[in-house]
Amino acid sequence: MGDGAASPIRVLLADDEHLIRGALAALLALEDDLAIVAQAASGTEAVAMARAHRPDVAVLDLQMPGADGVRAATAIREAVPECHTMIVTSHGKPGHLKRALAAGVRGFVPKTASAQQLAEIIRTVHGGSRYVDPELAADAISAGDSPLSEREAELLELALDGAPVAEIARQASLTQGTVRNYLSAAAAKLGAENRHAAARMARDRGWI
């Protein structure tokens, strides 16, 4: 708890699950030294809210429509450099943590954390320190790095829902032959029999 003399830490909360976001906002607002200045239901909205309200700390859900938490964190860091970002996730896969740290995210927290723990972590991140959940950190170290290039990962992500090569090529603005080459290379790196198996494998390891 703050002593009331200092300005409260201005917090942006972004989560597409309205009930969770509302409950979290209400609980964090009970802390004297925290002020919820904005809420967002998507990654895109989170970036817009960060620009408008210039919070001290942005608490971002990892899985959101528009842009996921890591992409939103990257955009917020560029738009509002003084705002520290942290990711809250129920999908703590190793690749996600590595992407988050590479994007300059200062906190990586499982959704199992209590509001009280989250408040403490917000203070830690605001103070310039980093917090990574120990269990998630251990998993990330044991999983190793992704062998995929950025383009291979991007195309595998488009292949996740079973989209045909023609549709993936259209979305990525590439020729179908180029897409096939990238997906074949990705499948070979992962030892997968086809692009669908490769996409599932990459998703399970948190590489996409």
Side-chain angles (χ1 to χ4, degrees), residues 89-104:
T89 179
S90 52
H91 311 272
K93 290 170 184 163
H96 294 148
L97 172 57
K98 290 185 175 177
R99 276 179 62 221
L101 293 177

Side-chain angles (χ1 to χ4, degrees), residues 66 71 148-175 178-180 182-183 186 195-200 202-203 207-208:
R71 289 195 180 103
L148 302 170
S149 71
E150 200 171 324
R151 181 62 97 172
E152 287 164 355
E154 179 194 336
L155 296 177
L156 278 183
E157 199 166 357
L158 292 174
L160 253 182
D161 59 0
V165 168
E167 175 58 21
I168 295 169
R170 188 189 67 75
Q171 288 188 49
S173 303
L174 295 169
T175 66
T178 302
V179 167
R180 281 197 189 91
Y182 274 121
L183 291 174
R195 67 177 185 272
H196 304 300
R200 285 194 300 272
R203 180 197 57 197
W207 291 338
I208 61 172

